[in-house]
């Protein structure tokens, strides 16, 4: 996973329903039910025009991913 570019990582996660639930629960978003809506959230949250613009030094993306991993392991604690 660490060898993948953030743009590729986001492409995988935005097609993962568990990631959608994480965003909804953590950020109190409206229902996310498509990869397009998820990509829109990622772009706004991370301050990029396109998920392809995510870079390894984008701290917001790194924190978003770390939060998701914590939520997956301990959703009742992380959320």
């Amino acid at each position: 996973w660490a060898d993948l570019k953030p743009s590729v990582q986001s492409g995988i996660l935005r097609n993962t329903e568990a990631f959608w639930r994480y965003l909804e629960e953590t950020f109190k978003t409206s229902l996310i039910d498509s990869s397009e809506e998820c990509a829109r959230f990622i772009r706004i949250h991370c301050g990029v025009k396109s998920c392809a613009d995510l870079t390894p030094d984008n701290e917001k993306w790194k924190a978003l991913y770390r939060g998701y991993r914590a939520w997956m392991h301990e959703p009742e604690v992380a959320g």
Side-chain angles (χ1 to χ4, degrees), residues 7-75:
S7 58
V8 175
Q9 293 172 348
S10 72
I12 293 167
L13 290 180
R14 68 178 177 256
N15 286 290
T16 305
E17 289 188 29
F19 187 65
W20 303 353
R21 300 296 81 80
Y22 161 71
L23 296 178
E24 291 169 3
E25 291 180 19
T26 304
F27 296 95
K28 309 299 183 217
T29 67
S30 57
L31 180 69
I32 294 176
D33 61 2
S34 71
S35 61
E36 292 81 16
E37 289 176 9
C38 187
R40 180 178 179 275
F41 177 90
I42 292 169
R43 289 191 307 270
I44 292 169
H45 182 78
C46 294
V48 294
K49 291 185 180 199
S50 168
C51 290
D53 296 332
L54 288 169
T55 59
D57 63 338
N58 187 304
E59 293 298 326
K60 289 187 177 185
W61 171 251
K62 291 192 289 189
L64 195 61
Y65 177 69
R66 282 192 308 266
Y68 171 64
R69 295 296 299 161
W71 179 86
M72 286 295 289
H73 292 301
E74 302 278 349

